[in-house]
Amino acid sequence: DIQMTQSPASLSASVGDRITITCQASQDLSNSLNWYQQKPGKAPNLLIYDGSNLEPGVPSRFSGGGSGTHFTFTISGLQPEDFATYYCQQYDDVPTFGGGTKVDIK
Amino acid sequence: EVQLLESGGKLVQPGGSLTLSCAASGFMFSSYPMSWVRQAPGKGLEWVSGISDSDITSYAESAKGRFTVSRDISKSTLYLQMNSLRAEDTAVYYCAKQFLSGDRIFDSWGQGTLVTVSS
């Protein structure tokens, strides 16, 4: 299986901050990489697909980039509702997820 | 509006069996591939199994030989039959709708159903 290394595992930030999460794949994914948001007790929610495509209805402060083995996820201007856990997921092979990044309030 | 409603999760003894259901509505169920994804308590996400629009099934290594995914088009319902359950199968199980293309991009999820394997 393709291993997804996501970092950092957690971060503390303030409202209005810009944050970036990275995901490193153990092999080339091209752009087969998605990003999800999960709040406590809730199901994950798709934000970004194919590396950089914003899912309809998702605010434009969320963005994704990268290709191959290195990917980034950025929130530009953190909002109170953005404090959550974020996961990357590859689908080039059997789907696997990164370990998650918990974003909490500084 | 897409809705996915899982049911069937409960406490089961090691070695036991359980069938989960996921009732779908708001989209043409027969046309979309579907998956099961699980999350152990306090842990990350793990894809378990999937079924294509043409009923081709696939499984994670952890599920092969023990779990069977199926669907009933007439009832718009997805199933996961789980046998030989182990403590490490304890998790919230989500059903997830995939993109029409078949790519494993999970664009809608149910609320999840908790399976606890313990004596």
Side-chain angles (χ1 to χ4, degrees):
Chain A
D1 289 0
I2 297 174
Q3 305 304 311
M4 303 301 296
T5 303
Q6 188 174 338
S7 62
S10 65
L11 68 89
S12 295
S14 301
V15 172
D17 283 354
R18 174 187 173 100
I19 66 163
T20 297
I21 298 167
T22 65
C23 225
Q24 187 85 20
S26 60
Q27 62 189 69
D28 192 332
L29 305 179
S30 182
N31 67 341
S32 303
L33 192 285
N34 309 317
W35 293 95
Y36 300 85
Q37 176 192 69
Q38 186 178 34
K39 296 182 178 179
K42 300 295 186 182
N45 181 46
L46 177 67
L47 301 178
I48 302 283
Y49 65 94
D50 289 346
S52 61
N53 293 322
L54 199 64
E55 175 72 349
V58 173
S60 59
R61 63 180 180 273
F62 297 97
S63 63
S67 65
T69 61
H70 189 262
F71 298 85
T72 59
F73 172 79
T74 298
I75 307 176
S76 301
L78 205 59
Q79 296 299 301
E81 60 269 28
D82 300 338
F83 292 96
T85 299
Y86 295 87
Y87 293 94
C88 63
Q89 174 241 327
Q90 65 80 20
Y91 65 95
D92 185 70
D93 191 23
V94 173
T96 50
F97 292 83
T101 296
K102 184 176 182 181
V103 178
D104 62 19
I105 301 173
K106 185 184 290 183
Chain B
E1 179 193 3
V2 171
Q3 291 196 341
L4 300 169
L5 185 63
E6 301 95 336
S7 61
K10 66 177 185 179
L11 174 64
V12 62
Q13 290 192 338
S17 298
L18 195 61
T19 298
L20 306 182
S21 301
C22 171
S25 61
F27 65 103
M28 192 171 293
F29 182 71
S30 60
S31 297
Y32 285 81
M34 301 287 293
S35 277
W36 289 97
V37 178
R38 69 184 181 183
Q39 186 170 35
K43 302 298 183 182
L45 300 164
E46 179 189 17
W47 177 80
V48 174
S49 179
I51 186 166
S52 74
D53 60 326
S54 54
D55 289 337
I56 297 171
T57 60
S58 54
Y59 300 92
E61 283 298 323
S62 59
K64 279 181 184 175
R66 299 189 302 128
F67 293 2
T68 301
V69 62
S70 63
R71 61 181 187 160
D72 185 332
I73 298 299
S74 67
K75 295 182 179 179
S76 293
T77 299
L78 178 72
Y79 301 100
L80 184 67
Q81 181 180 347
M82 302 185 293
N83 299 324
S84 303
L85 283 163
R86 308 164 180 162
E88 54 265 35
D89 295 318
T90 294
V92 173
Y93 285 72
Y94 296 101
C95 67
K97 170 181 162 290
Q98 295 172 212
F99 271 23
L100 192 62
S101 63
D103 289 333
R104 285 174 180 151
I105 303 169
F106 309 118
D107 62 354
S108 295
W109 299 63
Q111 86 292 344
T113 188
L114 177 62
V115 174
T116 303
V117 183
S118 174
S119 55

